[in-house]
């Protein structure tokens, strides 16, 4: 039996891009996803792009019996754990779902891993665990802060759970990857971000305006203490992020224990810079209007990615232009995400 990497949440945005890179690197993968925020079509696209069959199980990380069956059927040597709910506003309205899915789900996964004697884990954390950063760029050594919502707190709780596992049992090898703001898509235009329901993140909202699916972008706040008054973030191409996972997997096997790495570019862009950058690369005007600040937003958040560079030999390679081109190619090729249904195109002002 071939050694296999289990990818929870592998039908989703970041997991699918990472799965493709693993398969391209010659790894065997098994995807477990309950399709709560994704579609089986992403697996079909993965198979087309990789020219191989991808093992996929539709199921939930909270299903202990299913996990035991998976670990006894496949020769799994590592788990990339992407599965989780990530909509911040929804987490405020439905905290129990977030704690049950993210925290209890991760605990359940770790328990099944321990029963199967599989101790290599890479976890999708978020810069949200820093809360309001005291300084930027953010270094891992700053320590965590107070996340502003249940989603962020679920990520922090999981980080603490994973830390305790490594303290209690030296067999655990765990990489906690703190993502900054993933955007972009596979350059084929076949894989990308396709959340079920209304998007909340900047790029999906912006590309929906560019498609004419919504009339104007709402910019939350123009009175922040930043150069142009709008929030600054560290946007990172999803392919760079995916590459970070491959590096983390390699280093985990060589250097056991708990590792925490920021995955960002180290460059911050404001919301207005993203809008004008997008207009420049696509030639499409983006109407926008300013609104009140969004609850829980911090003024500035960008990474010091030096630790990942030193310890993983990884740094982000793709620039903002590439991120915006790839985001736009994905959105314009797939106006309804992975659904075949065509989008009702409205007139969009071209520059
Ligand atoms: P996504 O929603 O596209 O992917 C997550 C996948 O997990 C989805 O396919 C969903 O169906 C699946 N899933 C959810 N709960 C599950 C469960 N109980 N059992 C099995 N599958 C389940 O999100 P993404 O953007 O690819 O994010 C992946 C991970 O990275 C998440 O944990 C997210 O919190 C984290 N993260 C994302 C971002 C971001 O901006 N996208 C930033 C920081 C951290
Ligand atoms: C958000 C979450 C964070 C989560 C991350 C990935 C909050 C407070 N934080 O990060 O916990 O890990 O998504 O899912 O929600 N913006 C607009 N108009 C829009 C959308 C966004 O102006 O329509 C602005 C936001 O105010 C923010 C920036 O764009 O300043 C980036 O927003 P977003 O893409 O949602 O990411 P974060 O808020 O950084």
């Amino acid at each position: 039996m071939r050694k296999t990497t289990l990818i929870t949440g592998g039908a989703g945005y970041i997991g699918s891009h990472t799965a493709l890179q693993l398969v391209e690197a010659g790894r065997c993968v098994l995807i477990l996803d309950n399709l709560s925020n994704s579609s089986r079509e992403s697996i079909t696209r993965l198979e087309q792009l990789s020219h191989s069959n991808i093992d996929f199980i539709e199921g939930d990380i909270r299903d202990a019996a299913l996990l035991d069956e998976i670990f006894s059927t496949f020769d799994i040597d590592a788990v990339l754990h992407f599965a989780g709910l990530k909509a911040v506003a929804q987490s405020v309205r439905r905290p129990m779902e977030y704690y049950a899915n993210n925290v209890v789900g991760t605990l359940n996964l770790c328990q099944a891993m321990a029963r199967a004697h599989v101790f290599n884990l890479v976890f999708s954390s978020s810069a949200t665990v820093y809360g309001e950063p005291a300084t930027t760029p953010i270094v891992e050594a700053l320590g965590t802060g107070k996340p502003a919502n249940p989603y962020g707190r679920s990520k922090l709780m999981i980080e603490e759970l994973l830390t305790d596992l490594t303290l209690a049992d030296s067999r655990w090898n765990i990489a906690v990857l703190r993502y900054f703001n993933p955007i972009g898509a596979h350059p084929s235009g076949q894989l990308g971000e396709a959340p079920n329901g209304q998007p909340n993140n900047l790029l999906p909202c912006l590309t929906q305006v560019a498609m004419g699916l919504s009339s104007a972008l709402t910019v939350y706040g123009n009175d922040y203490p930043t150069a142009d008054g709008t929030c600054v973030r560290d946007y990172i191409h999803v392919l760079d992020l995916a590459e970070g996972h491959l590096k983390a997997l390699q280093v985990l096997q060589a250097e056991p224990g708990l590792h925490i790495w920021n995955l960002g570019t180290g460059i911050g862009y404001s919301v207005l810079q993203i809008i004008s950058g997008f207009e420049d690369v696509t030639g499409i005007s983006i109407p926008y209007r300013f609104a009140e600040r969004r609850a829980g937003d911090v003024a500035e958040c960008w990474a010091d990615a030096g630790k990942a560079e030193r310890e993983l030999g990884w740094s982000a390679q793709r620039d903002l232009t590439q991120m915006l081109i790839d985001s736009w190619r994905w959105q314009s090729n797939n106006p309804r995400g992975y659904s075949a249904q065509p989008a009702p195109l409205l007139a969009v002002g071209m520059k």
Side-chain angles (χ1 to χ4, degrees):
M1 221 177 355
R2 286 186 65 193
K3 295 278 180 207
T4 299
T5 307
L6 172 64
I7 308 182
T8 74
Y13 174 44
I14 305 167
S16 60
H17 287 82
T18 308
L20 181 59
Q21 287 189 3
L22 277 171
V23 174
E24 286 170 348
R27 294 277 316 180
C28 236
V29 305
L30 166 64
I31 292 177
L32 170 67
D33 198 304
N34 67 2
L35 303 181
S36 59
N37 195 38
S38 51
S39 119
R40 194 176 276 271
E41 176 64 15
S42 71
I43 306 293
T44 305
R45 303 265 181 108
L46 268 179
E47 292 188 318
Q48 288 163 352
L49 288 167
S50 66
H51 307 291
S52 52
N53 293 324
I54 305 277
D55 283 318
F56 170 67
I57 294 173
E58 183 174 345
D60 200 295
I61 55 168
R62 288 165 294 177
D63 183 342
L66 173 65
L67 291 181
D68 285 343
E69 193 186 330
I70 287 172
F71 282 108
S72 61
T73 309
F74 293 83
D75 185 10
I76 291 165
D77 62 352
V79 179
L80 295 184
H81 177 33
F82 297 93
L85 300 177
K86 63 163 186 175
V88 170
Q90 190 183 60
S91 80
V92 174
R93 293 192 305 274
R94 305 188 338 220
M96 281 199 280
E97 271 176 48
Y98 275 69
Y99 292 120
N101 199 78
N102 296 2
V103 182
V104 178
T106 302
L107 176 62
N108 197 49
L109 174 67
C110 291
Q111 287 173 322
M113 289 176 69
R115 284 194 293 273
H117 302 282
V118 176
F119 292 100
N120 297 318
L121 174 69
V122 178
F123 171 62
S124 301
S125 190
S126 165
T128 194
V129 299
Y130 292 112
E132 177 100 50
T135 53
T136 41
I138 300 174
V139 285
E140 295 85 345
L142 256 185
T144 52
K146 282 188 178 298
N149 49 67
Y151 164 74
R153 285 188 281 276
S154 76
K155 290 289 175 190
L156 187 53
M157 286 179 193
I158 295 168
E159 286 203 8
E160 287 172 348
L161 156 66
L162 299 179
T163 305
D164 287 340
L165 295 190
T166 53
L167 289 173
D169 185 339
S170 60
R171 288 174 299 174
W172 282 102
N173 305 312
I174 300 181
V176 168
L177 302 183
R178 293 180 181 155
Y179 310 158
F180 280 67
N181 289 61
I183 62 171
H186 191 268
S188 63
Q190 295 297 304
L191 284 184
E193 184 169 17
N196 291 333
Q198 270 301 104
N200 300 298
N201 295 118
L202 180 59
L203 250 290
C205 291
L206 190 154
T207 49
Q208 295 223 340
V209 175
M211 292 298 301
L213 299 173
S214 85
S215 59
L217 179 72
T218 304
V219 176
Y220 298 117
N222 60 348
D223 58 351
Y224 284 97
T226 59
D228 63 21
T230 64
C231 292
V232 173
R233 295 287 183 274
D234 184 337
Y235 297 91
I236 176 169
H237 199 295
V238 65
L239 290 183
D240 281 322
L241 205 55
E243 283 162 12
H245 291 74
L246 270 68
K247 295 279 189 184
L249 263 183
Q250 286 164 9
V251 170
L252 257 199
Q253 325 263 340
E255 292 173 36
L258 177 78
H259 302 271
I260 298 178
W261 289 296
N262 283 343
L263 295 186
T265 63
I267 303 170
Y269 289 100
S270 73
V271 177
L272 292 184
Q273 284 176 313
I274 295 292
I275 295 173
S276 65
F278 185 86
E279 290 180 333
D280 288 345
V281 300
T282 62
I284 299 171
S285 291
I286 300 296
Y288 63 86
R289 57 174 169 261
F290 291 118
E292 292 297 302
R293 292 179 177 195
R294 190 174 67 175
D297 275 346
V298 298
E300 295 186 285
C301 177
W302 76 88
D304 180 325
K307 186 167 185 272
E309 185 160 9
R310 289 188 303 278
E311 297 177 3
L312 295 177
W314 170 92
S315 61
Q317 300 298 314
R318 295 160 181 89
D319 65 9
L320 183 65
T321 300
Q322 193 62 52
M323 297 183 218
L324 295 173
I325 288 173
D326 289 339
S327 291
W328 178 234
R329 185 186 300 104
W330 158 254
Q331 178 69 46
S332 46
N333 282 1
N334 306 271
R336 292 289 187 202
Y338 290 113
S339 147
Q341 194 190 354
L345 283 178
L346 308 173
V348 178
M350 301 289 287
K351 268 186 163 176

